[in-house]
Amino acid sequence: MKVFRLDERLIHGQVMTSWIGYTGATEIIIVDDEIAQDDFMKLVLTQAAPKNIETKVMNCKQFTDYDSNKDNKNRIILFKKLIYVKELLDMGTPISELSLGNMGSSPQRKKYANSIYMTDGENDLIEEIQKSGCQVFIQMLPNDLKKKI
Amino acid sequence: MNILITTHGNLGKEFLKTAEMIMGKTDHISILGLQVEDNIDFFKEKIETVIQQKEIKIILTDMENATPFNAATIASRSIRNPPKIIAGINLPLLIELINLTQNNEFKYEQLEVFIQKCKESITLYKGMTKNESI
């Protein structure tokens, strides 16, 4: 099972533990062009993962190469930013569903749901992503109802 | 020596309030709590601002590798003399640290010894059991 998920807090505590249990994932891949070239950030973020899970940080290009080796590994693909979801779709990665966990509030963002705040630009991106055939929904934990955005 | 406590939710605020019940008012401790709705980058910026404005030397966080801890490490990387970051706040630790930092004589080098001592504050009470083993 492959789960594509956007959560700005990336790998965090109980939430990630539930998703790992649900998917049976043996690896988590963070797809982000900026983090992929920042060794310090990579270290900080991968340290947060449970010990038995392999964590990788890749840029979009690296991920599409990696993902095209068709294997049946269960994995969680994590994003911090919507632009990289869009980029993967544009590069031809099939993503049928994207679950949104946390997009936090900041002065530039408007509230769309509990723990989902977006700028107008980000909201436009969601629409573009949905137009590419990827269903976007809000879901904190695997057993929560999928809420339409 | 100024301290910043950064935790999940209002834990830090309550820790300080409680410590002040015991120690009296302090004026060198800042608090930042990460709320469910907070944006991590914005939270990191808030930490950065407090570090610079208050010349924070020590950051206390509630849990290693959790979001407030990560935000503190990321915020500190651009600071010239980055503050020391301690994970795993508890009340004895905070009280002891207030004691040590109220006058400005506390030295960084003492921190490791300090933390070692604080670990001893977690104990298993054996007073009620006749048998040493549980």
Side-chain angles (χ1 to χ4, degrees):
Chain A
M1 184 193 278
K2 256 195 275 186
V3 164
F4 291 85
R5 181 167 170 80
L6 186 139
D7 192 324
E8 287 179 343
R9 292 170 67 183
L10 294 168
I11 300 168
H12 66 108
Q14 270 315 110
V15 175
M16 202 32 73
T17 311
S18 309
W19 282 97
I20 290 167
Y22 173 73
T23 55
T26 51
E27 62 179 18
I28 298 171
I29 302 175
I30 297 170
V31 180
D32 190 295
D33 287 5
E34 289 149 70
I35 301 170
Q37 51 171 306
D38 187 334
D39 287 339
F40 177 82
M41 286 290 284
K42 275 205 265 198
L43 182 72
V44 170
L45 295 171
T46 53
Q47 268 172 349
K51 295 281 176 282
N52 51 342
I53 300 290
E54 206 179 337
T55 312
K56 301 180 173 122
V57 182
M58 297 182 184
N59 63 32
C60 293
K61 176 76 179 61
Q62 286 165 332
F63 179 77
T64 49
D65 293 344
Y66 181 81
D67 196 52
S68 57
N69 302 324
K70 295 277 177 259
D71 58 33
N72 289 320
K73 262 194 185 172
N74 294 326
R75 60 175 66 110
I76 297 167
I77 297 102
L78 260 187
F79 301 91
K80 188 177 171 190
K81 290 187 174 165
L82 284 168
I83 43 165
Y84 300 120
V85 180
K86 178 74 172 62
E87 208 168 312
L88 285 192
L89 285 164
D90 290 346
M91 289 166 104
T93 303
I95 306 175
S96 55
E97 285 188 344
L98 175 75
S99 75
L100 299 181
N102 181 283
M103 294 178 79
S105 95
S106 73
Q108 294 81 29
R109 283 176 161 175
K110 276 197 313 231
K111 182 169 184 169
Y112 287 81
N114 282 339
S115 83
I116 300 292
Y117 295 74
M118 285 188 281
T119 62
D120 293 341
E122 285 165 329
N123 192 36
D124 293 345
L125 258 178
I126 294 264
E127 272 180 32
E128 284 180 46
I129 287 168
Q130 308 232 59
K131 269 187 208 143
S132 319
C134 170
Q135 290 247 32
V136 183
F137 50 85
I138 304 165
Q139 190 182 28
M140 191 51 85
L141 294 167
N143 291 329
D144 291 350
L145 273 182
K146 296 174 177 177
K147 237 174 85 185
K148 279 224 141 219
I149 182 109
Chain B
M1 183 179 287
N2 289 338
I3 298 169
L4 166 66
I5 305 176
T6 173
T7 62
H8 294 84
N10 297 324
L11 197 55
K13 196 172 119 194
E14 295 301 327
F15 258 122
L16 181 61
K17 249 168 74 183
T18 310
E20 286 183 337
M21 261 170 70
I22 299 162
M23 308 284 294
K25 269 262 163 234
T26 60
D27 59 3
H28 64 301
I29 301 177
S30 309
I31 307 286
L32 280 176
L34 176 77
Q35 306 301 329
V36 182
E37 67 276 9
D38 279 346
N39 168 247
I40 163 103
D41 289 326
F42 187 54
F43 187 67
K44 187 208 78 185
E45 279 166 32
K46 285 200 278 190
I47 295 180
E48 237 174 283
T49 310
V50 174
I51 294 175
Q52 278 159 345
Q53 283 176 353
K54 305 266 174 148
E55 294 181 33
I56 298 293
K57 298 292 181 208
I58 297 173
I59 302 181
L60 292 177
T61 69
D62 50 3
M63 191 156 65
E64 193 177 33
N65 298 329
T67 306
F69 171 89
N70 289 347
T73 55
I74 297 164
S76 302
R77 71 193 289 206
S78 55
I79 310 289
R80 250 176 64 89
N81 286 312
K84 300 289 183 200
I85 302 168
I86 298 174
I89 186 174
N90 66 25
L91 195 56
L93 179 149
L94 181 58
I95 289 170
E96 186 62 16
L97 195 64
I98 290 173
N99 251 331
L100 289 168
T101 52
Q102 251 164 355
N103 50 25
N104 255 323
E105 287 160 21
F106 188 63
K107 304 261 186 307
Y108 276 161
E109 301 80 67
Q110 295 168 256
L111 268 182
E112 282 204 32
V113 179
F114 164 72
I115 286 168
Q116 209 48 49
K117 226 185 100 192
C118 288
K119 285 183 182 169
E120 290 165 20
S121 70
I122 300 169
T123 59
L124 179 63
Y125 181 58
K126 291 218 177 94
M128 304 276 235
T129 46
K130 288 201 175 84
N131 216 327
E132 284 287 304
S133 61
I134 296 175

